[in-house]
Amino acid sequence: MGSPNLSPVTRPLAIVFYEKLLPGTQVVNRLTDLGYRVTATQTAVDVPRLVREHRPMVVIADLALRQGDFCGIIGQLRASPDLAHVPVLGYCDSKNQKLVQAALESGAKLVAAEQGIPDQLPQLLDHVLAVE
């Protein structure tokens, strides 16, 4: 008898970028529990290449980099006709409204509070993946 679980080929793919181990690994584990395949990276500049190569359903990213600017990466994705359709769900400290605004202006579909992202991930994904 066939398994009711989706085969690895039919499970949706998410690319996850994080620098901080927690909540990054929590996001990866939660996505896996939700039935996603996950490609994770801790190098922001790898994200556009990974999106181009793997064609994920969503990118989830820790926006607060120690060095650099993930908003620039979001801008690269939006500027590329073959990548612009992939939604980006960013997360950061909810007190950093300047970063939240910059991410949204760069083209992130949604920015969530880092503190609650593992628990709220199903609802956040529903919102980010909704067809408008």
Side-chain angles (χ1 to χ4, degrees):
M1 289 281 155
S3 169
N5 296 329
L6 295 174
S7 75
V9 176
T10 58
R11 292 185 309 158
L13 173 66
I15 290 178
V16 178
F17 162 75
Y18 63 92
E19 284 188 334
K20 292 181 285 257
L21 204 52
L22 221 71
T25 54
Q26 291 176 321
V27 169
V28 169
N29 292 336
R30 186 71 170 119
L31 284 165
T32 302
D33 291 346
L34 293 170
Y36 280 77
R37 293 176 293 136
V38 179
T39 297
T41 183
Q42 292 180 298
T43 308
V45 295
D46 286 347
V47 172
R49 177 185 56 79
L50 291 170
V51 171
R52 186 169 278 109
E53 289 174 6
H54 298 288
R55 306 291 181 181
M57 183 173 283
V58 65
V59 172
I60 301 175
D62 180 357
L63 299 172
L65 304 183
R66 287 186 285 265
Q67 294 182 340
D69 174 20
F70 200 84
C71 295
I73 301 293
I74 297 169
Q76 286 179 36
L77 294 173
R78 292 297 151 256
S80 178
D82 61 329
L83 307 179
H85 69 283
V86 178
V88 175
L89 167 58
Y91 64 90
C92 64
D93 185 327
S94 59
K95 295 177 196 146
N96 192 343
Q97 286 301 305
K98 183 176 176 182
L99 182 56
V100 170
Q101 191 61 37
L104 292 170
E105 288 172 3
S106 296
K109 186 148 184 196
L110 182 66
V111 178
E114 177 180 298
Q115 298 81 355
I117 194 163
D119 294 331
Q120 298 172 11
L121 200 52
Q123 296 86 355
L124 295 169
L125 287 169
D126 284 348
H127 181 77
V128 168
L129 297 173
V131 177
E132 296 173 358

